[in-house]
Each structure stands twice: as structure tokens, then as C-alpha cells.
Amino acid sequence: MRLLLVEDDALLGDGIRAGLMLAAYAVDWARTGPEALRALFDHDYDACVLDLGLPGADGLEVLRQLRRHDGQARQQLPVLILTARDTPDDKISGLDSGADDYLVKPFDLGELQARLRALLRRAGGDARPFFSHAGVELDPAARRVTRDGEEIALSAREYALLLDFLSHPRHVRTRAQLEASLYAWGQEVDSNALEVHIHHLRKKLGAEFIRTVRGLGYQLTSPD
Ligand code: CA
């Protein structure tokens, strides 16, 4: 899954990005309002963590422009405001401007991650705190994967890839979509890495678990 982090404080942004990457998200980091808007309109994200006090354009203005966008993906993108503005009026205007959640600095990284997991599962149309498909279960809070109850060890990339598939269980995922969920801006994409990760996932989860859709991409095999 790919997240946009919007934060102008270098030290804080660096810490948040590192924490989210450890949770297997690909994280792009925008440091100004205009940079955030460019990123949001040029790329598809699964969620956005949005600071309010930003150079160039306030976070609330970024949010309003995002929600006014014609595209459904932009209108529905889960947005969590992360700010030092802590009055009830600030929270009300943030939520009423289109935010889905609001967290006040200083904050706990574990709480930010839990709130993102909640937003992402709601956005995926499922309130269950784990993913389950054809005997494979993924618990994002514990970062744990089992197959028929047996724990399976996955590399960080394999885990991120499986999380992407399980978050879109009925969709064909294109190479571009899968690579976007694995690599943030500036990270080198090895041209055959995706095939290698899929190969490893099939070895660990069963050859039939992911099917190739010729000319389109990959998809979870329907259990029935
Ligand atoms: Ca700020």
C-alpha cells in the first residue's frame, strides 16, 4: 500500500516515514502544500497523513482541493490529519473539511499506525482487523501471516505485495499498481523483481494462490 506523508518538519517527517516503512507501506513524502497537491493529483495513494501548518498552502486548503476533485479516488482517499492544532474548533473544521481522522501532536507512532490500519480496512469495505483468503490470513497489527494456521515467514517486499493483493481481493492488479505499493519515490525498481517476489509468494502460499492474468497483471485466485 502506498501512502502520502505531508509534513514540513524534517526530523518528524523522517521519523514518521521510517516508522511507516517498517510497517511495509511505500511512503512518498511531500514537504509543502503545493508539493502535496501535485503528488495527490499525479499518483494514486491508499491513504494520506496530512499536517496542517505547511509552507505554500495550508493543509486544510490541500484537503478541500482534494475533496473537490472530479475523480472518485481523490474524493474518497482516506485522510488522517496529524497536527499540533489541538482545540475542538480545529478538530471540527478538519473533520468537516473532509478528513477521516484527526490526531494531535505529540502523538504515539503505534497509535498513528493503528488509526491508519482502521482507515485502510474501512476504505477496503471490510471492518475485520485481519485479511483472510483461501486459508491464508494476514494480521496487519501483528504483521503476521499464516497458511492453514501455520505461520509463514515473508520478506518485507513479499509481505507488502501480499497486503496489496489481500486489500484488493477481487481486482486484477497491474504491474504498475503492484510496483507502486512496493516502491516510494526515488527507490530503484529492479525490472524483474516483481516476478521474483510473486514466485516466492507462490512457493510459500501455494502455486494457485496468485494467478497470472495474461497481458493485464496478477490476481488472487477465487477460492470457489
Ligand atoms: Ca507543520
Side-chain angles (χ1 to χ4, degrees):
M1 310 214 102
R2 192 185 185 96
L3 306 184
L4 181 68
L5 168 65
V6 186
E7 173 61 64
D8 62 321
D9 183 296
L11 203 61
L12 186 59
D14 207 40
I16 298 171
R17 180 174 60 171
L20 294 178
M21 284 172 67
L22 275 178
Y25 300 115
V27 183
D28 293 341
W29 179 12
R31 293 161 177 79
T32 69
E35 201 185 326
L37 282 168
R38 244 191 332 275
L40 286 166
F41 293 144
D42 286 355
H43 302 278
D44 289 326
Y45 291 100
D46 294 291
C48 173
V49 176
L50 180 65
D51 183 21
L52 292 185
L54 293 168
D58 189 81
L60 284 182
E61 183 52 32
V62 171
L63 182 56
R64 290 186 192 114
Q65 289 199 35
L66 178 73
R67 293 309 190 214
R68 276 198 296 263
H69 192 267
D70 290 336
Q72 212 186 25
R74 269 68 182 179
Q75 295 167 7
Q76 296 188 354
L77 178 73
V79 173
L80 182 151
I81 289 179
L82 183 60
T83 179
R85 297 180 194 168
D86 62 354
T87 70
D89 280 348
D90 289 323
K91 295 176 188 170
I92 290 166
S93 76
L95 293 166
D96 281 345
S97 297
D100 301 282
D101 200 358
Y102 197 105
L103 187 58
V104 172
K105 299 171 185 170
F107 64 99
D108 179 87
L109 188 60
E111 182 179 352
L112 172 64
Q113 292 176 342
R115 286 173 182 264
L116 281 171
R117 285 193 294 273
L119 285 181
L120 289 166
R121 64 181 178 245
R122 281 291 175 190
D126 195 338
R128 293 179 302 170
F130 57 87
F131 298 93
S132 175
H133 183 89
V136 172
E137 268 197 28
L138 183 152
D139 176 350
R143 212 186 162 291
R144 184 166 184 268
V145 175
T146 58
R147 180 188 181 196
D148 300 327
E150 296 276 313
E151 184 152 1
I152 306 283
L154 298 181
S155 73
R157 296 268 194 244
E158 289 160 15
Y159 177 88
L161 203 52
L162 178 61
L163 183 60
D164 182 287
F165 278 117
L166 291 170
S167 305
H168 308 89
R170 284 169 298 280
H171 296 101
V172 176
R173 302 296 285 161
T174 66
R175 159 178 287 276
Q177 286 170 329
L178 292 169
E179 284 178 348
S181 78
L182 293 181
Y183 303 98
W185 294 340
Q187 286 185 306
E188 188 96 12
V189 181
D190 185 355
S191 64
N192 67 353
L194 186 62
E195 281 75 13
V196 173
H197 297 315
I198 299 251
H199 174 73
H200 287 155
L201 277 179
R202 282 173 171 155
K203 267 172 73 176
K204 294 177 182 182
L205 305 177
E208 302 302 311
F209 190 75
I210 297 164
R211 70 188 191 97
T212 303
V213 184
R214 206 161 294 282
L216 291 175
Y218 299 92
Q219 184 180 27
L220 289 184
T221 306
S222 168
D224 24 81

